[in-house]
C-alpha cells in the first residue's frame, strides 16, 4: 500500500498508513528534523507485508538454482517446537511442485526445493501463511531479528505468567484454608473472582502460543503436543469459571501453573537451542567488519560484501581476512584456527592462499581476492553446518512414526480415564483433574526433541573442530561403519615427493650432483623442483642460478650452469638427449622414483624421490583397529608400492593398480557382503568411490576443500580429525538413544501414574517441562570435545 503526503516543496511517499501516521506524529511534535538526520540502512517493508499476500517479483531475488529444481530459504515465524517443524515439513512438502522441504528447528529456517515450472515462491509463502505461520525471505538480518524477537516474546510472556501466578497462589492458599477450616460464602466468592481476573491473562495472553498452535493443528488435521496443553489448560480454566458462578471448587492455579511451567521449559529450551546453533553465527561474524580496498595506490573502506574477485586489499596486523584470497606481497603469521581448527599460526608469504575469517597476526599483507564473501570457505562451511542440522538421521523416523499416533491415543486415554473415575463415584471436578493430568504429562515434547537437539549439538561441536558433517544421516552412518577404506596418494601419504637418496657417479660428490640439479630447477614450480630446492636448503647446499632453462612436460629440464650443459629428467629423456654413461640397470630403493642428472653430456648421478607418509596416518589406522573396524587401502599405484604403504601405516590389506571405476566396484562388493563402508580420499579423483560409499570423507585443506563430493569433510588435511569425527558420531547417536529411551520411559511411567490419580495436573506440567529440559541438557553435553 502506498500513501502520499503533499508538502509545499515535494511529495512524500510512505509504504503504509502506519508509517504515515508516525510521520504526522513526529512532524506534529516539531521533530521533523529527525528525517533529515537519520542514517537509514535497512530496506522498507516488502509489498503487501502483513497481509498474507506475497509477490513473485519480490521473492524471485531470493531463489537460486540447485542440481534439481530451484531453492528458496524461508524464515518461518512461530516455530516453537518439534511438532511445528513436523507440521510445516508435511504441509509444504505436500504442495504440488515442491520436491523437498527441510525446517531447521534451531533457527526456524526452511529450505524448500521446488520445480519452478510447477509452483511459484509466492504460492509456497501463501500456503505457509494459511496454516498460521508467518513466512519471510531469509536474510542474515531477518534471521537475527527473528531469534531476538522470539526470545524477547518468551521472556515477556514467562515474566507476566510468573508474576500473576504468584499472586494467584496467595488467593489459592486462602481458598484451600477456607475449604478445611471454613470460609464465609461472600469472601469465597471474592477470592474466586480475583482468581478469575488474575488467571485470564495468564491463559489467553501468556498461553496464546499454545492455543494458536493447537488451533493450527486442528485446522490442518494434524493434532500436536500443543493441543494437549491447550485442552488441559482450557478445561481446568473453563471448569473453574463454571464452579465460580455455581458455588463449586475452583482450579485456577492448575491452569496458570501449567502455562507458567511450560513457558519456563520453553525459555530454557530456547536458550539451549540458541547456544547450540550459535556456531553458525560465529562463523559468519568472522567475515564481518570492514575491508581496505586499493583504488590505484589509494585505499578505500568498503563492506566485505562489496569485494569482487580480482580486487586488491590490504589486511593489517590484528585484522581478519574478509574473503578467500592469495597473498601478493608481504609475510605474516596467520591464525587459521577458526576455519581449520589448527591451533598453531601458519606463515603466509607471496603466493600462499589465505582463508576468510583467519586472523592476520604480525605483518601487513596485500591480498588478491579470489571469490565473493558469500562464496568464501567460511560461508560455505556455515551453510553446510546449517544443512546438516536440518537433515534428519534415519533413527528420527522412529520418533516421527510414534508422534503421529501419540496425540490421538492420549486423547482417547484421557477420555477413558475421566469416564472411569467418574463412574467410580468421584466428583466431576476430581475426575476432570485426573484426565487433565493424563493430557499434560503425555505431551510428546521430549520425544520430538530427542533427535534434532542431539544432531544440532553434535554437528555444531564437530564443526568447531574442523569436522563438517553434511547431515544427521551422516552421523548415524559413520557411527555404524564396519570397514574404513583409504586412498593412498594425498590421503595416507602427503601426495608430494621428497628427495630421499643421492647416488653420485665417478668424479662427482652427492653435494655437487644436488647443486647442479638445484641450479636448473631454481625457477620451476614442479613438485620435483621444490623437493630438490628443499633438500638443498635443509643441508645448506649452495647452488648457482641456471640459464637457458627449457622444460619438457613429463620428461625433464635442460639448461646451462657456468656455461656448461646440465640436464635432469627420466632415463628415456636423457637417452633422447644423447647422454652417455647411463647405467644399464638402475634400482629404486623401496619403490622410489628415479631422476637422472647429466653434466656436459655425461651421466653424473641419480636422485631418488618418495612420497611421504603422513605423520598422523598410523595413528588413525591404529584407532580404527582398536575399535574393531577393518581397514583397506585402494590405490592406482603399483601393487608393490601399495603393499609397502599399507604395511607402513598398519592397514590390514592393500589393493593396487586400480582405476577410479575399479575402486567403486571394490566398495560395491564390500557393501554386497554386508559391510558399512567409510571411504576416505582427497575428494577429487576419488569422487566416484566417495559417492558409492555409505560415508564418503574428503581430506582436504583450506580453500581446496571438496565440499560437493563427500558426506564428511575434514577442513584441514589432518587425519586425527577423522578419529574425532568417529568418536563424535558415536557419542551423538548414543545421546540420541538415551534421549529416546528417556522419552519413552517417561511416558511409560508417567501416564499410568496420572491415570491412577496419583499425579495432579500441576505436577504433571512440571514433569513434562522437566523432561524436555533433561533431553536438551543431555544433548548439550555433546558441545564438549569427545575424549578417546
Amino acid at each position: 500500500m502506498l500513501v502520499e503526503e503533499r508538502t509545499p516543496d515535494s511529495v512524500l511517499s510512505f509504504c503504509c498508513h502506519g508509517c504515515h501516521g508516525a510521520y504526522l506524529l513526529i512532524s506534529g511534535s516539531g521533530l521533523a528534523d529527525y528525517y533529515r538526520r537519520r542514517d537509514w540502512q535497512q530496506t522498507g517493508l516488502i509489498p503487501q507485508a502483513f497481509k498474507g499476500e506475497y509477490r513473485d517479483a519480490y521473492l524471485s531475488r531470493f531463489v537460486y538454482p540447485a542440481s534439481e529444481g530451484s531453492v528458496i530459504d524461508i524464515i518461518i515465524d512461530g516455530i516453537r517446537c518439534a511438532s511445528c517443524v513436523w507440521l510445516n515439513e508435511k504441509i509444504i512438502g505436500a504442495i504440488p511442485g515442491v520436491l523437498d522441504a527441510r525446517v531447521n528447528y534451531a533457527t526456524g529456517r526452511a529450505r524448500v526445493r521446488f520445480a519452478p515450472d510447477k509452483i511459484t515462491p509466492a504460492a509456497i509463502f501463501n500456503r505457509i501463511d494459511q496454516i498460521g505461520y508467518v513466512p519471510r525471505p531469509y536474510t542474515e538480518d531477518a534471521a537475527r531479528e527473528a531469534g531476538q524477537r522470539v526470545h524477547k516474546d518468551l521472556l515477556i510472556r514467562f515474566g507476566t505468567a510468573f508474576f500473576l501466578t504468584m499472586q494467584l497462589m496467595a488467593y489459592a492458599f486462602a481458598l484451600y484454608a477456607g475449604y478445611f477450616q471454613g470460609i464465609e460464602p461472600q469472601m469465597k466468592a471474592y477470592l474466586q473472582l480475583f482468581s478469575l481476573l488474575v488467571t485470564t491473562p495468564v491463559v489467553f495472553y501468556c498461553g496464546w502460543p499454545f492455543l494458536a498452535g493447537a488451533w493450527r493443528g486442528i485446522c490442518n488435521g494434524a493434532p500436536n503436543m500443543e493441543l494437549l496443553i491447550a485442552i488441559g489448560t482450557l478445561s481446568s480454566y473453563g471448569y473453574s469459571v463454571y464452579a465460580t458462578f455455581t458455588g463449586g471448587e475452583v482450579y485456577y492455579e492448575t491452569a496458570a501453573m501449567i502455562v507458567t511451567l511450560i513457558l519456563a521449559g520453553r525459555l530454557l529450551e530456547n536458550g539451549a537451542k540458541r547456544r547450540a546453533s550459535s556456531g553458525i553465527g560465529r562463523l559468519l561474524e568472522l567475515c564481518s567488519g570492514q575491508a581496505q580496498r586499493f583504488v590505484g595506490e589509494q585505499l578505500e573502506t568498503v563492506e566485505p560484501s562489496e569485494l569482487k574477485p580480482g580486487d586488491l586489499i590490504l589486511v593489517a596486523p590484528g585484522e581478519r581476512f574478509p574473503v578467500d584470497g592469495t597473498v601478493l606481497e608481504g609475510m605474516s603469521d596467520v591464525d587459521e584456527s577458526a576455519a581449520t581448527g589448527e591451533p598453531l599460526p601458519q606463515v603466509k608469504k607471496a603466493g600462499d592462499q589465505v582463508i576468510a575469517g583467519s586472523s592476520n597476526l604480525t605483518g601487513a599483507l596485500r591480498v588478491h581476492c579470489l571469490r565473493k564473501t558469500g562464496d568464501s570457505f567460511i560461508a560455505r562451511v556455515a551453510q553446510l553446518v546449517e544443512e546438516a542440522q536440518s537433515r534428519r538421521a534415519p533413527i528420527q523416523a522412529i520418533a516421527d512414526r510414534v508422534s503421529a499416533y501419540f496425540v490421538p491415543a492420549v486423547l482417547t486415554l484421557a477420555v477413558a480415564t475421566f469416564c472411569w473415575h467418574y463412574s467410580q463415584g468421584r466428583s466431576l471436578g476430581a475426575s476432570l483433574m485426573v484426565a487433565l493430568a493424563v493430557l499434560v504429562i503425555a505431551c510428546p515434547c521430549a520425544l520430538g526433541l530427542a533427535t534434532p537437539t542431539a544432531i544440532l549439538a553434535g554437528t555444531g561441536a564437530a564443526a568447531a573442530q574442523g569436522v563438517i558433517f553434511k547431515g544427521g544421516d551422516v552421523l548415524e552412518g559413520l557411527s555404524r561403519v564396519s570397514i574404513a577404506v583409504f586412498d593412498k596418494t594425498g590421503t595416507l601419504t602427503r601426495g608430494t615427493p621428497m628427495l630421499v637418496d643421492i647416488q653420485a657417479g665417478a668424479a662427482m660428490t652427492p653435494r655437487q650432483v644436488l647443486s647442479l640439479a638445484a641450479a636448473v630447477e631454481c625457477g620451476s614450480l614442479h613438485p620435483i623442483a621444490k623437493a630438490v630446492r628443499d633438500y638443498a636448503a635443509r643441508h645448506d647446499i649452495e647452488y648457482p642460478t641456471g640459464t637457458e632453462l627449457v622444460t619438457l612436460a613429463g620428461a625433464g629440464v635442460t639448461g646451462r650452469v657456468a656455461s656448461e650443459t646440465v640436464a635432469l629428467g627420466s632415463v628415456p629423456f636423457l637417452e633422447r638427449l644423447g647422454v652417455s654413461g647411463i647405467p644399464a640397470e638402475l634400482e629404486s630403493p623401496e619403490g622410489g622414483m628415479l631422476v637422472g642428472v647429466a653434466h656436459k653430456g655425461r651421466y653424473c648421478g641419480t636422485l631418488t624421490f618418495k612420497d611421504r607418509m603422513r605423520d598422523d596416518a598410523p595413528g588413525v589406522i591404529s584407532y580404527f583397529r582398536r575399535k574393531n573396524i577393518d581397514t583397506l587401502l585402494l590405490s592406482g599405484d603399483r601393487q608393490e608400492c601399495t603393499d609397502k604403504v599399507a604395511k607402513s601405516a598398519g592397514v590390514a590389506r592393500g589393493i593396487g593398480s586400480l582405476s577410479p571405476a575399479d575402486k567403486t566396484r571394490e566398495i560395491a562388493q564390500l557393501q554386497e557382503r554386508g559391510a558399512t563402508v567409510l571411504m576416505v580420499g582427497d575428494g577429487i579423483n576419488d569422487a566416484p568411490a566417495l559417492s558409492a560409499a555409505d560415508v564418503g570423507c574428503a581430506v582436504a585443506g583450506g580453500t581446496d576443500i571438496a565440499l560437493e563430493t563427500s558426506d564428511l569433510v575434514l577442513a584441514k588435511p589432518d587425519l586425527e580429525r577423522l578419529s574425532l569425527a568417529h568418536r563424535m558420531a558415536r557419542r551423538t547417536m548414543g545421546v540420541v538413544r538415551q534421549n529416546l529411551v528417556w522419552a519413552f520411559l517417561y511416558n511409560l511411567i508417567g501416564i499410568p501414574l496420572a491415570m491412577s490419580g496419583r499425579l495432579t495436573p500441576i505436577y504433571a506440567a512440571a514433569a513434562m517441562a522437566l523432561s524436555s529440559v533433561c533431553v536438551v541438557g543431555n544433548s548439550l553435553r555433546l558441545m564438549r570435545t569427545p575424549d578417546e
Side-chain angles (χ1 to χ4, degrees), residues 4 13 64 147 187 323 369 372 416 437 456 521 540 560 582 625 643 653 695 698 711 733 746:
E4 293 186 348
S13 298
Y64 55 92
M187 178 58 68
V323 294
C369 298
K372 297 184 295 183
L456 185 73
E521 294 282 26
D540 297 324
R560 287 187 175 273
I582 300 176
R625 291 174 62 184
D643 288 339
R653 186 166 63 101
V695 178
D711 306 303
M733 297 317 299
Y746 158 78

Side-chain angles (χ1 to χ4, degrees), residues 444-679:
C445 288
L447 190 63
L449 294 173
T451 299
T453 54
I455 297 298
L456 185 73
T459 53
Q465 300 295 322
V467 177
I468 313 302
F469 288 96
K470 289 190 177 180
D473 51 339
V474 180
L475 273 163
E476 184 170 346
L478 183 59
S479 71
R480 296 186 289 103
V481 295
S482 58
I483 183 169
V485 179
F486 294 85
D487 173 49
K488 183 176 76 68
T489 305
T491 303
L492 291 184
T493 65
R494 294 184 180 275
T496 56
M498 182 176 68
L499 180 57
V500 296
D501 185 63
I502 304 173
Q503 298 177 14
M508 278 280 187
T509 66
R511 294 181 69 89
Q512 290 173 321
V513 173
L514 195 282
S515 178
L516 291 173
V520 294
E521 294 282 26
C522 60
S524 175
L525 298 178
H526 194 278
I528 292 291
K530 185 177 185 303
V532 169
R533 295 195 301 269
D534 288 347
Y535 187 94
R538 290 197 307 272
H539 294 83
D540 297 324
I541 298 175
E542 296 182 356
Y543 55 90
T545 301
T547 59
E548 301 180 24
L549 303 176
V550 177
T551 300
L552 182 62
V557 59
T558 63
R560 287 187 175 273
V561 178
S563 301
E564 296 175 341
T565 62
V566 174
L568 180 145
S570 64
V571 170
F573 173 67
L574 297 180
E575 289 175 343
R576 289 198 301 271
L577 294 177
V579 172
S580 62
I582 300 176
E585 291 186 6
L586 291 175
E587 293 187 1
S588 172
E590 300 184 7
M593 180 178 65
L594 298 180
V595 175
V597 182
H599 180 227
K600 294 190 293 186
R602 287 193 59 81
Y603 195 86
C604 65
T606 305
L607 307 180
T608 302
F609 297 86
K610 285 186 63 177
D611 194 0
R612 292 173 289 171
M613 177 76 66
R614 291 185 186 274
D615 296 336
D616 47 17
V620 74
I621 299 300
S622 175
Y623 167 82
F624 282 117
R625 291 174 62 184
R626 292 196 305 272
K627 300 297 182 182
N628 296 318
I629 296 174
D630 292 336
T631 54
L632 174 65
L633 178 61
L634 300 180
S635 175
D637 207 345
R638 302 191 316 272
Q639 184 64 47
E640 178 188 1
C641 296
T642 301
D643 288 339
K644 289 179 178 178
V645 171
K647 182 179 179 181
S648 178
V651 178
R653 186 166 63 101
I655 304 176
S657 302
L658 297 176
S659 68
D662 293 334
K663 293 181 180 180
T664 304
R665 281 194 294 271
E666 290 289 339
I667 288 175
Q669 290 174 7
L670 291 171
Q671 292 170 327
E672 288 172 2
R673 293 196 291 268
T676 302
V677 181
L678 164 67
M679 174 65 195

